[in-house]
Amino acid sequence: MEFAEKIRELRKSQHLTQAEVAKKVGLTTRGYQDMELGSLPRYENLLRIAEYYDVSVDWLMGRTEKREVNR
């Protein structure tokens, strides 16, 4: 599963709109929509999305199957 699919799945599992997530992570609605359509995030946006959903950056980017954050 690629980044766009993962953030779409995470958002839908929490019954949120794109606009709601965008506001919570400090993005424009259009910026968030673009990521769900396949645009890769800037580093700081990737971190905010990972923190918001409490998942690892590596999992979001497809580098591991381990979803949990190492703390």
Side-chain angles (χ1 to χ4, degrees), residues 3-54:
F3 175 75
E5 294 171 304
K6 288 179 180 179
I7 63 171
R8 188 178 312 111
E9 180 182 291
L10 288 166
R11 177 180 59 78
K12 287 183 176 186
S13 73
Q14 295 185 12
H15 308 288
L16 298 168
T17 66
Q18 291 174 333
E20 289 170 325
V21 175
K23 184 175 182 178
K24 291 175 190 240
V25 298
L27 296 169
T28 64
T29 300
R30 183 64 193 179
Y32 187 83
Q33 288 170 336
D34 286 346
M35 285 189 282
E36 281 198 9
L37 291 171
S39 294
L40 292 177
R42 295 175 61 184
Y43 179 72
E44 58 272 6
N45 295 336
L46 175 62
L47 290 177
R48 288 197 298 246
I49 290 168
E51 286 177 8
Y52 176 73
Y53 287 120
D54 197 30

